[in-house]
Amino acid sequence: MSVLIRGVRRYGEGEPVDVLVEDGQIAAIGPGLTADERTDVLDAAGQVLLPGFVDLHTHLREPGREDTETIETGSAAAALGGFTAVFAMANTTPVADSPVVTDHVWQRGRQVGLVDVHPVGAVTVGLAGTQLTEMAMMANGAAKVRMFSDDGKCVHDPLIMRRALEYATGLGVLVAQHAEEPRLTVGAVAHEGPTAARLGLAGWPRAAEESIVARDALLARDAGARVHICHASTRGTVELLGWAKAQGIAITAEVTPHHLLLDDSRLQTYDGVNRVNPPLREASDAQALRQALADGVIDCVATDHAPHAEHEKCCEFSVARPGMLGLQTALSVVVETMVVPGLLTWRDVARVMSENPARIVGLTDQGRPLEVGEPANLTIVDPEASWTVDGSALASRSANTPYASMTLPATVTATLLRGRVTARDGRAQL
Ligand code: DOR
Ligand code: ZN
C-alpha cells in the first residue's frame, strides 16, 4: 500500500511538497508527484510534516488496571497524538520486572500495531527499591528492553542506584530516574509553597526532587554512566542539569506538557484532576522549564500519560491518585507554551518530541530525517487548527485530562507508522 501526502511543508519550512510513501519508507519527495488509483492520498495542504513523536514516559496500565487503560486504548491515544513509539512504564500489576511481563507488553503492542510499544523494565524487583532486577534478561528478550525505571517510585537508596547505573552501563541501556527523595515527601500531595499552605495541603518540597537530581548526576559522573531524569519540575532542577551538563556528565532530562503549561494556582478548586507527581509547581518554575527546553538544558518532552479511574480522581484532593492524561494533548500544549510564544520552531518541535527522545533511548528507526529512503514514521500537523479538549472524547479509557474545556492550538491530522496510516482525521486506524 502506498500513501501520497500532498502539499505538506517539511518541518513547516520551505515550499510545499508531495511525499510518496511506499514499502514503509519515504520513496519520493517533490512537487507534483503522481500516484496510481490504489494509492491512498492524504491532502495536507498548509500542513506541517514532522517525524513521528517518541514518548519516553507513558503509563498504559496493562497488565493489571485494564479498567483505566489498555495497550490498545493507549496505543490509539498515542497514534492520535502523533506518536509512533512510546515507552510503557513498569509500574503495572504485576510489575514489569521480568521478561515474562516485558515481552508480553511488547507483543501486545505489536498485535495492536498502532504505535511501537517499548516496555520499560523495572530497576528493582517489585519496585521495592532493594534488589536489582535481571536487566540483562529483559534487554535480551523479545522486547529488547533498553530503558529501565522504577517510575512512580524513586530508586532512593544511593548504593542501589549506583549499582543500577553500573549494570546498565555494561548493558548499554538507559536508567530513568523518578527523582523524589521519599523521606521529604511523606504525606505530600502538592507543591510546598504559599498555595499549599493556604489550602492546607501537605507540601512536596523542590529539594525532594533536586537532591536526587544532584546525587544522581554525581553517581553517573563517577560510574561513567548515563542517567535520564524523568519529569523535571523545578527551576532548581534546571540549574542542576545545566551545571551537570557543563561538567560533561551524561545526563538527559524530560519535561511534561503539564509542567510547561500549568502551575499550582490550579489547586484552588481542590479538584483531584490536578494532583500529579511531581506536583504542579509555581509559575516561575514553569517559566524556567520552558526556557530550559528552548535552550536544550532539558532535552525532550515526555507525556507521563497517567490514566486513572473516575473514582480515583473525583474524590478528596489528598486521596486522589497522582497523574494526568497526556498523549493526545501533548503536541497542542507544546505549541501553546513553546511555539506560539516563539521559544521553539517546528523544526525544534521535531527535535524535542522525536529526534532527541529517539537518540536518548537509542531507537534507530525513529526521529529520522524527512528524506527519501528513511522509515515512514511520520506525523502531519495542522498548525492553524484549534480544538477544545473533552475528556470523554479522548481515545483513552480514562478521562482525567486537566485541559478539559480548554481550547488549544494545532491538531494532528494523520500519523504513519512504517508507512501505515495509524490515525487520520481524529480516528485511530486499527
Ligand atoms: O503522577 C504520576 N503518576 N507520577 C508518577 O510518577 C506515576 C504516575 C502514575 O503511574 O500514575
Ligand atoms: Zn514519575
Side-chain angles (χ1 to χ4, degrees), residues 10 50 68 139 148 153 164 178 185 196 212 219 241 320 326 330-331 397:
R10 285 180 289 170
L50 298 173
T68 60
F148 291 85
K153 292 191 171 169
H178 168 114
T185 60
I212 297 292
L219 292 177
L241 290 167
L331 173 76
R397 190 162 275 186

Side-chain angles (χ1 to χ4, degrees), residues 37 39 46 91 110 138 156 166 182 185 217 242 244 297 326 344 356 425 429:
E37 66 282 1
T39 301
N91 64 340
R110 294 301 274 199
M138 290 186 267
H156 61 90
E166 289 167 353
T185 60
V297 172
L344 292 183
N356 283 354
D425 300 328
Q429 310 287 302

